[in-house]
Amino acid sequence: MATEPEEPEAVPPPDEADTAPPRETETADQAGQPDDIQKDLAEAQDAWRRALADLDNLRKRHARELEGVREAERARTAAEWLPVLDHLELALAHARANPASVLQGVEAVRDQAVDVLARLGYPRQDESGVPFDPSRHEVVRVVDDPDTEPGTVVEVLRPGYGDDGRQLRPMAVSVSQRRE
């Protein structure tokens, strides 16, 4: 036995559905709409206030954490310099007993200070005979040196510390002048 397929119910065209008069239930829902809007507004304002409070708390927490990190870095850096200070005091104590040992002690302390700066990320830069680089060098003096190429660092008067992009201090140098 074959059953015949059911015919679909007739659906009014979209034009008729759009122009149909509103039902009684729709007008009753619309009457309560201002209360719903007020409730939604109150919820949105509450969410906004909570978000603002969360943001303010986040700012305060970040400021506290940042200050803690800064203090820890200050303490770490100061601790790196304590052995240098200890050795300077030893050099001064030995200088009273044997003035000739002062030079060796001061050189050892200087080497230790240079090592501390290198470990902190600022290695010593004191090379001469290289082309002048304004990002790494500070010209203190220009000299006439016929044996070198113009614009070459002839002498380092004060060493610099740091690498490219992370420089503590540039080198103070003498540079050969351009020949004319």
Side-chain angles (χ1 to χ4, degrees):
M1 297 196 174
T3 42
E4 293 185 24
E6 296 181 23
E7 290 187 30
E9 293 182 27
V11 177
D15 294 341
E16 291 177 25
D18 290 341
T19 59
R23 293 186 213 145
E24 186 68 31
T25 56
E26 289 179 9
T27 51
D29 289 343
Q30 290 173 353
Q33 194 172 12
D35 291 338
D36 290 343
I37 291 174
Q38 291 298 323
K39 182 180 175 185
D40 290 346
L41 179 61
E43 288 175 3
Q45 286 175 337
D46 183 55
W48 175 72
R49 285 187 184 105
R50 288 176 190 267
L52 241 103
D54 287 346
L55 179 62
D56 190 44
N57 290 338
L58 181 66
R59 284 183 190 145
K60 289 175 183 175
R61 187 177 77 227
H62 178 68
R64 282 191 308 271
E65 289 173 358
L66 185 62
E67 186 56 36
V69 168
R70 284 181 180 153
E71 187 58 37
E73 280 302 304
R74 270 190 225 107
R76 186 179 74 80
T77 302
E80 291 280 338
W81 285 102
L82 289 176
V84 175
L85 182 59
D86 293 342
H87 287 119
L88 278 173
E89 290 174 353
L90 283 173
L92 289 172
H94 287 309
R96 292 182 186 100
N98 180 8
S101 67
V102 172
L103 181 61
Q104 291 175 340
V106 170
E107 286 176 343
V109 172
R110 186 223 34 228
D111 293 343
Q112 188 178 26
V114 168
D115 183 54
V116 167
L117 285 170
R119 285 196 320 262
L120 291 172
Y122 300 102
R124 183 181 178 110
Q125 304 291 324
D126 60 356
E127 65 273 356
S128 60
V130 297
F132 171 73
D133 180 359
S135 67
R136 296 180 47 228
H137 303 112
E138 177 183 334
V139 176
V140 175
R141 176 172 69 190
V142 178
V143 296
D144 188 19
D145 189 352
D147 297 333
T148 62
E149 190 70 27
T152 301
V153 173
V154 177
E155 180 184 11
V156 176
L157 304 171
R158 183 188 70 213
Y161 292 91
D163 288 328
D164 295 335
R166 192 168 175 209
Q167 192 173 61
L168 191 59
R169 177 179 80 185
M171 288 183 268
V173 297
S174 294
V175 178
S176 61
Q177 73 180 22
R178 301 215 179 271
R179 296 182 192 132
E180 295 181 24

